Amino acid sequence: MAAFFIYQEEIRGMEKKKYLSITALVMIIFVGVFGFGNIANNYKTTGTESTSMFILGATIYFLPLCLIMSEFAAYAKDRTGGIYSWIDIGLGKNTAYFALWCYFVANIFYLPTLASRVPTYLSFAVTGSADISDIAMAVLSAVSLVAALFVGIKYESKFNKISTVTGYISLFVAGIFLVGGIGMYLGFFGTPATEITAKSLVMAVDTKENFGKMLSTFAWIIFAYAGSELVGTYVDRVENPEKNFTKGILLSAIIIGFLYILGIISIAAYGTVEDFSRVSLVNAVISGYAFMGNTFGFGIWFVKMIGLTYSLITLVALVLWSVALSKVVFSEAPAGTFPAWLTQKNKNGILKNALFFQTSLSFLFILITTFGGESAGDLYYKIYDMSTMAFILPYLFLSVAYINFRRKGHISSFQISKNNYIAYGVGVLITILNIMGIIFAGYDINLGFMEQIDTLKLYYGGLAMFLGIGVVIKFIKFKECDVILNEA
């Protein structure tokens, strides 16, 4: 038990408070952020050249972003709203509201997608392939959501044990993939499928076409590093968060960045870009291990074992994202922002109603895509794509909030630098990169404006639409509050 918690007897009262260890903190972040699919899908798109983009993303985006979050968390160690709390401190409640609204919009569509991966991976565990009917997919996705809801409500306070063990499992599974792939390039295990040179790892920028490809790739790799903010909802459960939370989040940033970089090199050892181009985005995760199994002659049992492992990892990630989403959006929102029943906590401090609400929406989305017919399914996936840009907007608000946080003279027990100009530089860098991510994830400089007008409408029109809905909701709530006050 001591491996998972740090215990401290508090002088006041007889209660024994359980603290998250640094190891538990790292594993929570790792399970929530690291995705083998990001490796497989970037390799499918740009080959080993994406290695340089993962390195760039880790060094100039992910690590500085984690430093910003660490400084905010050390300053607001008693607040559980995570990224909402931090933006509130830097920019105020109005901007924080739009940040949490965008966060909710992006992630509420991500939850059913995450839930649907559980039966996909279970299919690999049972049959060795993704051979599953739409009905079975819907039923098992619903079961996954119910399981996540139950665990989130009943065992959230103890869930770090499960996430820590799952984090170790995920790390081990990633490790054997990396050891096998790197070992092939070192000449220990045979001949790799793809030849690697220093030039093949670097994305060229010598032409306009290559430069545009680099911008788009980097923009999407920013999404691969998203998710570490969810641990902000656990800061009040870390002993000495000024020191230990910072250690945990920075160690996670280094581990995740390192594994992404090695992952691109390793996956190339097992199959070529052409091999992976024949695999769907969802199946690319297990297919990478299937290629590995074929290379080493492991047989079908290896694919089944990986399928079962990823079923567990994905289910745990579903719980983490569900609980974190409810905390970010509903735990600290000002009274009147949302219906009161959504912000109520049970005796254990769990946002039970919010979790039920999120799960109900996810159920609805699954029903629409499964039983609503082709047109309803197409409409849902179109709306899902429209919500994509909302995912990165909170990070933009966070980086701007950090600049303002330092400008106001707030002093945290952990600081990126005591020199404000260095801190401003970090904030400006992340702000610029977030803006680049928003622009170039949807706009291709190699295509004419009219050639991509439909894509631009989908991404940026969708962002404008959801922001508009957020404005309406905020306006309506304020109007209701005014009416109540007048009547009183």
Side-chain angles (χ1 to χ4, degrees):
M1 193 74 71
F4 303 101
F5 291 98
I6 300 172
Y7 288 99
Q8 173 181 310
E9 285 290 342
E10 294 186 326
I11 296 176
R12 59 184 184 278
M14 298 300 293
E15 294 182 357
K16 182 181 286 186
K17 186 174 181 178
K18 297 178 180 179
Y19 290 105
L20 286 175
S21 68
I22 294 176
T23 301
L25 202 63
V26 170
M27 290 308 163
I28 288 173
I29 300 172
F30 183 74
V31 171
V33 177
F34 183 77
F36 189 83
N38 293 319
I39 295 172
N41 294 328
N42 272 286
Y43 178 65
K44 282 180 60 174
T45 305
T46 56
T48 56
E49 291 180 353
S50 57
T51 304
S52 58
M53 292 298 97
F54 273 110
I55 294 173
L56 199 63
T59 53
I60 72 169
Y61 183 78
F62 189 44
L63 188 58
L65 181 64
C66 286
L67 286 168
I68 287 174
M69 289 190 285
S70 295
E71 186 165 339
F72 268 124
Y75 182 82
K77 58 186 178 182
D78 297 321
R79 298 186 63 172
T80 61
I83 195 170
Y84 168 80
S85 303
W86 305 333
I87 295 172
D88 178 18
I89 293 168
L91 294 176
K93 296 189 183 302
N94 286 331
T95 305
Y97 162 78
F98 285 105
L100 71 84
W101 169 248
C102 288
Y103 197 80
F104 179 75
V105 166
N107 285 287
I108 197 61
F109 291 104
Y110 177 63
L111 292 183
T113 302
L114 200 56
S116 68
R117 292 176 186 171
V118 177
T120 300
Y121 297 146
L122 277 175
S123 178
F124 276 105
V126 175
T127 67
S129 66
D131 185 18
I132 184 170
S133 67
D134 291 343
I135 300 297
M137 173 73 78
V139 171
L140 291 174
S141 297
V143 170
S144 300
L145 288 168
V146 171
L149 175 66
F150 176 77
V151 173
I153 292 175
K154 299 292 291 185
Y155 301 105
E156 192 273 338
S157 62
K158 302 176 181 178
F159 187 67
N160 46 79
K161 295 181 183 181
I162 301 173
S163 59
T164 301
V165 173
T166 305
Y168 278 124
I169 294 172
S170 181
L171 197 57
F172 173 76
V173 171
I176 61 175
F177 189 88
L178 300 180
V179 168
I182 299 299
M184 290 179 71
Y185 282 111
L186 294 177
F188 297 141
F189 306 126
T191 304
T194 307
E195 183 181 352
I196 292 288
T197 63
K199 185 178 180 180
S200 68
L201 299 178
V202 179
M203 188 161 286
V205 292
D206 54 336
T207 64
K208 180 186 175 183
E209 289 72 20
N210 286 335
F211 184 66
K213 180 181 176 182
M214 183 275 290
L215 289 174
S216 297
T217 302
F218 183 79
W220 283 107
I221 279 178
I222 285 178
F223 286 78
Y225 286 115
S228 55
E229 76 287 339
L230 66 83
V231 80
T233 60
Y234 292 91
V235 66
D236 63 323
R237 288 166 56 182
V238 178
E239 185 182 21
N240 190 12
E242 301 92 337
K243 180 180 179 181
N244 293 330
F245 186 89
T246 299
K247 282 184 178 179
I249 199 167
L250 294 183
L251 183 58
S252 303
I254 293 169
I255 291 173
I256 292 168
F258 187 67
L259 291 181
Y260 271 145
I261 294 163
L262 290 183
I264 287 291
I265 298 173
S266 298
I267 200 171
Y270 304 120
T272 64
V273 172
E274 290 72 24
D275 292 330
F276 278 88
S277 67
R278 294 188 285 271
V279 180
S280 69
L281 293 177
V282 175
N283 296 344
V285 175
I286 307 299
S287 294
Y289 286 92
F291 287 140
M292 176 185 176
N294 292 335
T295 299
F296 295 123
F298 289 153
I300 194 66
W301 67 269
F302 183 69
V303 174
K304 291 184 176 182
M305 181 192 73
I306 295 298
L308 183 62
T309 301
Y310 265 90
S311 298
L312 172 63
I313 294 170
T314 306
L315 185 59
V316 171
L318 179 62
V319 177
L320 284 173
W321 276 101
S322 297
V323 173
L325 180 61
S326 66
K327 285 186 176 181
V328 169
V329 177
F330 301 111
S331 69
E332 291 192 10
T337 303
F338 299 109
W341 60 272
L342 276 175
T343 61
Q344 291 176 351
K345 298 178 181 179
N346 64 14
K347 61 181 181 180
N348 297 318
I350 306 300
L351 291 154
K352 182 178 178 180
N353 292 339
L355 287 171
F356 269 111
F357 175 66
Q358 291 174 182
T359 303
S360 298
L361 284 180
S362 296
F363 268 127
L364 177 62
F365 297 151
I366 289 172
L367 287 174
I368 289 173
T369 55
T370 306
F371 303 106
E374 184 176 348
S375 57
D378 290 342
L379 177 61
Y380 168 77
Y381 287 115
K382 185 175 182 178
I383 295 174
Y384 176 85
D385 288 337
M386 291 170 69
S387 71
T388 302
M389 292 304 169
F391 193 76
I392 203 170
L393 208 59
Y395 300 105
L396 174 60
F397 290 147
L398 179 65
S399 57
V400 176
Y402 177 69
I403 297 171
N404 208 38
F405 170 79
R406 292 298 296 257
R407 187 187 64 81
K408 289 179 178 179
H410 293 304
I411 299 176
S412 175
S413 55
F414 168 80
Q415 291 183 304
I416 294 175
S417 173
K418 295 185 182 299
N419 186 307
N420 278 337
Y421 291 105
I422 294 176
Y424 294 154
V426 173
V428 170
L429 171 65
I430 301 304
T431 299
I432 292 172
L433 293 177
N434 281 321
I435 293 172
M436 285 178 57
I438 292 172
I439 294 174
F440 296 111
Y443 178 72
D444 188 342
I445 65 172
N446 292 319
L447 298 176
F449 183 82
M450 295 309 298
E451 290 181 77
Q452 50 189 325
I453 189 66
D454 290 339
T455 301
L456 297 176
K457 286 180 180 178
L458 186 68
Y459 285 142
Y460 304 113
L463 178 60
M465 182 191 77
F466 282 117
L467 284 173
I469 293 173
V471 170
V472 171
I473 291 175
K474 195 174 193 305
F475 176 76
I476 291 174
K477 294 305 296 180
F478 279 138
K479 291 294 289 186
E480 288 179 354
C481 289
D482 290 340
V483 171
I484 291 172
L485 288 173
N486 289 335
E487 288 179 352

